[in-house]
Amino acid sequence: MSTTPEIGAILENSKELDRLRKDQEDILSEINKLHKKLQATPEVVEKPGDTSLSRLKMLYTQAKDLSDNEANISNKLISQLDALHPPGAQGQQRRRLEGSEQKRKRVKADSDITRLNPSMRNQLEACASLKGEQVAARVTPRNADKDEWFVVKVIHFDKESKEFEVLDEEPGDDEESSGQRQYKLPMANIIPFPKSNDPSSAPDFLPGKHVLAVYPGTTALYKATVVHCPRRRKTDDYVLEFDDDEEDGSLPQRTVPFHKVVPLPEGHRQ
């Protein structure tokens, strides 16, 4: 029996596999763009008529369908190649099939990470890109009974352990040593600041919104309440009232640069 029709079918399935992968890359690109938009302006989802979340759901659904189709075509190709492969010794055949099964499992695992969960992949890449940047970090200093938030510099991000290595360049006077200190922190303990050279990356918090901000003249972050919004220009400072900052029976209004203010984490206690 001629193998030409079988080879033709293999080539057709290979072309279809290439097409599916290209479509997946296009969908992933659209998801990435939408992620960046939502990260830069999360308040957009609260506007009447905004369809960002429904579009994101649709893109994820399309990504899953394309991945399922890719798996089906891959299985067909494996079956076609198995049919053309010359039979060997039973032991060799068994090892070959076991190897193929392991390979398929690895391919599926890779697919789960890079295609069906683009958000996590993007998050890891974003964390790695923070090397050398200053970020807000939640740390429990020595001899402290509660967490504190302060400005640190990212030294390294380990994608395997999902941990940051950070440097506290200006430890407080109450630290045992006056030298700089390093910490290893999980992703949940880190919040990137808006880019100082990209004012559009800073959200416009509504008046009364609680935020976490660097207290003027320090490297520590504290809970504060937004007083004025919207800012007239993206480069304007925020006007805030910090908790426990009472003077003469009232809270003074303090200005803080837009790139030193971040959303208040859920469950924040300080």
Side-chain angles (χ1 to χ4, degrees), residues 5 23 59 80 99 105 131 163 178 185 209 223 242 267:
D23 289 346
L59 290 171
Q80 290 169 329
K105 288 180 179 178
K131 183 177 179 180
E163 282 188 331
S178 60
L185 303 173
K209 183 73 173 179
K223 181 181 176 183
F242 285 87

Side-chain angles (χ1 to χ4, degrees), residues 2-262:
S2 173
T3 60
T4 301
E6 288 84 349
I7 292 176
I10 289 173
L11 294 176
E12 286 299 318
N13 282 328
S14 296
K15 291 179 181 178
E16 177 65 11
L17 196 60
D18 289 339
R19 185 191 66 78
L20 288 170
R21 285 173 176 168
K22 183 181 183 304
D23 289 346
Q24 285 174 317
E25 292 299 328
D26 292 340
I27 292 293
L28 182 57
S29 177
E30 290 298 315
I31 290 175
N32 289 342
K33 291 178 182 178
L34 195 50
H35 280 173
K36 290 180 180 178
K37 174 185 175 183
L38 294 176
Q39 288 169 356
T41 56
E43 69 278 6
V44 72
V45 299
E46 300 176 1
K47 294 181 179 179
D50 181 74
T51 60
S52 299
L53 294 181
S54 59
R55 175 163 173 73
L56 187 61
K57 180 180 178 181
M58 179 191 70
L59 290 171
Y60 273 120
T61 301
Q62 291 177 341
K64 182 181 182 303
D65 291 342
L66 287 169
S67 184
D68 289 341
N69 290 338
E70 180 190 8
N72 290 334
I73 296 296
S74 296
N75 288 333
K76 286 182 181 179
L77 280 168
I78 291 171
S79 298
Q80 290 169 329
L81 291 169
D82 283 345
L84 291 177
H85 192 277
Q90 184 175 359
Q92 293 175 340
Q93 180 74 357
R94 182 170 60 251
R95 285 194 296 272
R96 181 176 61 82
L97 292 174
E98 288 172 350
S100 296
E101 181 64 24
Q102 291 171 354
K103 183 176 181 180
R104 285 196 293 272
K105 288 180 179 178
R106 287 195 298 271
V107 169
K108 184 178 185 301
D110 290 343
S111 177
D112 288 342
I113 294 174
T114 62
R115 300 188 187 282
L116 294 186
N117 194 4
S119 178
M120 175 56 71
R121 188 182 72 171
N122 292 343
Q123 190 174 4
L124 293 177
E125 290 176 352
C127 288
S129 70
L130 291 173
K131 183 177 179 180
E133 298 283 340
Q134 286 190 331
V135 297
R138 184 176 65 199
V139 179
T140 305
R142 291 179 182 176
N143 303 322
D145 57 358
K146 60 183 180 180
D147 292 344
E148 296 179 5
W149 284 88
F150 46 83
V151 180
V152 298
K153 181 179 180 181
V154 176
I155 301 173
H156 175 69
F157 176 70
D158 189 327
K159 290 185 179 181
E160 294 296 327
S161 65
K162 299 181 178 62
E163 282 188 331
F164 282 91
E165 274 187 61
V166 300
L167 178 67
D168 180 13
E169 299 178 284
E170 298 182 26
D173 296 334
D174 56 343
E175 293 284 351
E176 294 179 3
S177 171
S178 60
Q180 298 176 339
R181 297 200 58 191
Q182 292 188 20
Y183 299 91
K184 282 191 175 183
L185 303 173
M187 292 169 58
N189 285 34
I190 298 293
I191 303 178
F193 287 117
K195 300 291 186 182
S196 60
N197 60 352
D198 182 13
S200 64
S201 65
D204 280 325
F205 299 108
L206 295 176
K209 183 73 173 179
H210 295 310
V211 296
L212 203 60
V214 178
Y215 190 86
T218 75
T219 58
L221 291 94
Y222 299 95
K223 181 181 176 183
T225 303
V226 176
V227 177
H228 294 158
C229 191
R231 293 171 291 154
R232 290 187 299 274
R233 302 184 306 273
K234 283 290 186 179
T235 54
D236 286 349
D237 294 340
Y238 288 99
V239 179
L240 309 174
E241 291 179 350
F242 285 87
D243 288 12
D244 303 321
D245 190 29
E246 189 172 321
E247 290 183 0
D248 300 325
S250 62
L251 293 175
Q253 295 182 359
R254 303 189 185 276
T255 58
V256 179
F258 71 87
H259 57 276
K260 294 298 182 183
V261 181
V262 296

